Amino acid sequence: QVAAASGHTVVLVDQSDEILKKSTKGIEESLKRVIKKKFADKPEAGAEFVEKTLKNLTTSTDAVAVVHSTDLVIEAIVENQEVKNELFKRLDKFAPEYTIFASNTSSLQITQLANSTTRQDRFGGLHFFNPVPMMKLVEVIKTPMTSQKTFESLLDFSKAVGKSPVSCKDTPGFIVNRLLVPYMMEAVRLFERGDASKEDIDVAMKLGAGYPMGPFELLDYVGLDTSKYIVDGWHSLEPDNPLFAPSPLLNKLVEEKKLGRKTGEGFYNYK
């Protein structure tokens, strides 16, 4: 949506036409919300903006078929190293030499993903934040193999889609999650020890630190399974780092399929 709205030609690839129809409808709805604010007093210009944006967007279920004329591939599939590597390996064979590959991963090492291709110098991280149309930040990740030209192209693209890029080396969690995930885990440990209730911890961080959500609200919003997946991955990389120690309570909730907002229950009940 964001790339198409800023004048780029985009092909959205997913596993089925059904998913793609749903995605296109979601983008249309999202654009309508954008024009309500952006073109409040110019409805005609708003309608034109939506039409123009949707014209920039086509869909496909065949990544290999569309990659041959692509300048930039942004991968945002399931947060699984093997599945991502498999995709990049396949696309690497069919993409032109000039095509830059980027991953939107929030927790995996970009270097490991780049190593599944023959274009390590044309590979970087572009970590967008949710919800992407609203959030201004993009973390641009440069691995030791990413060329300066590729890195600058990724920065330029981030600015061209109206975002504010920050750059970071290929370190676990980059900037935001490297600070945010241990903070959320510390909140869980505080609650596990019985030092404070989860409600009071959430209120304290909202009113005392000015956060829009408390750590438990945020965990439920992100998904407890996603949070556990990130912590487990980092713990296996650095088993002696106390910040990455697993939490018995988080593990128990995930085991019980209480994953947060998406299942109706996590640390809080949403039913």
Side-chain angles (χ1 to χ4, degrees):
Q1 179 190 324
V2 166
S6 52
H8 296 82
T9 307
V10 182
V11 185
L12 175 64
V13 179
D14 217 314
Q15 290 176 315
S16 71
D17 288 322
E18 199 185 335
I19 296 170
L20 288 165
K21 271 188 196 129
K22 205 175 157 192
S23 303
T24 311
K25 197 174 183 311
I27 287 172
E28 225 171 308
E29 297 300 315
S30 177
L31 286 168
K32 283 175 187 166
R33 287 196 294 274
V34 170
I35 61 168
K36 265 185 193 165
K37 284 183 182 173
K38 211 174 169 185
F39 299 94
D41 47 356
K42 298 179 199 156
E44 279 168 24
E48 198 183 314
F49 170 74
V50 172
E51 193 187 333
K52 216 169 158 185
T53 300
L54 292 173
K55 259 191 190 146
N56 288 335
L57 188 70
T58 51
T59 61
S60 173
T61 53
D62 188 352
V64 164
V66 297
V67 81
H68 61 78
S69 57
T70 306
D71 295 308
L72 174 65
V73 171
I74 302 175
E75 165 277 317
I77 65 170
V78 63
E79 198 69 340
N80 178 304
Q81 180 91 47
E82 281 167 36
V83 183
K84 286 185 194 286
N85 280 353
E86 199 46 54
L87 175 71
F88 281 127
K89 206 175 185 172
R90 205 165 87 241
L91 296 184
D92 189 41
K93 292 187 182 108
F94 296 94
E97 210 172 294
Y98 59 77
T99 306
I100 293 173
F101 284 6
S103 176
N104 180 54
T105 180
S106 57
S107 67
L108 299 173
Q109 275 197 303
I110 301 294
T111 305
Q112 299 289 352
L113 299 172
N115 283 341
S116 65
T117 72
T118 58
R119 61 185 75 221
Q120 287 99 329
D121 58 324
R122 283 151 289 150
F123 203 116
L126 274 182
H127 182 218
F128 289 82
F129 285 76
N130 249 336
V132 180
M134 313 296 295
M135 301 288 270
K136 292 290 284 182
L137 187 69
V138 178
E139 290 175 326
V140 181
I141 314 307
K142 188 178 196 279
T143 78
M145 297 99 74
T146 309
S147 73
Q148 190 58 25
K149 190 182 172 198
T150 297
F151 177 62
E152 280 164 16
S153 298
L154 292 173
L155 285 176
D156 290 344
F157 173 75
S158 305
K159 290 172 192 163
V161 297
K163 301 300 175 197
S164 300
V166 293
S167 73
C168 182
K169 286 182 179 173
D170 191 15
T171 181
F174 315 134
I175 299 172
V176 174
N177 282 335
R178 181 62 181 78
L179 297 173
L180 198 58
V181 173
Y183 146 74
M184 293 193 295
M185 295 303 290
E186 276 301 294
V188 176
R189 290 181 197 114
L190 193 65
F191 174 54
E192 276 177 324
R193 290 194 300 270
D195 294 341
S197 72
K198 54 184 187 286
E199 292 80 5
D200 281 356
I201 295 168
D202 276 352
V203 169
M205 291 314 292
K206 286 191 284 191
L207 302 186
Y211 286 13
M213 278 186 209
F216 293 97
E217 291 169 324
L218 187 55
L219 280 158
D220 279 353
Y221 178 76
V222 168
L224 304 194
D225 51 342
T226 306
S227 306
K228 173 177 156 53
Y229 180 84
I230 294 170
V231 170
D232 288 352
W234 293 356
H235 180 62
S236 65
L237 280 177
E238 296 182 30
D240 299 329
N241 190 332
L243 291 175
F244 302 158
S247 146
L249 176 58
L250 183 64
N251 291 349
K252 181 175 174 283
L253 289 169
V254 171
E255 223 169 90
E256 292 167 356
K257 301 275 186 287
K258 294 173 181 171
L259 309 180
R261 281 179 177 272
K262 59 186 168 189
T263 57
E265 193 179 348
F267 284 104
Y268 296 114
N269 203 320
Y270 301 92
K271 286 167 185 165

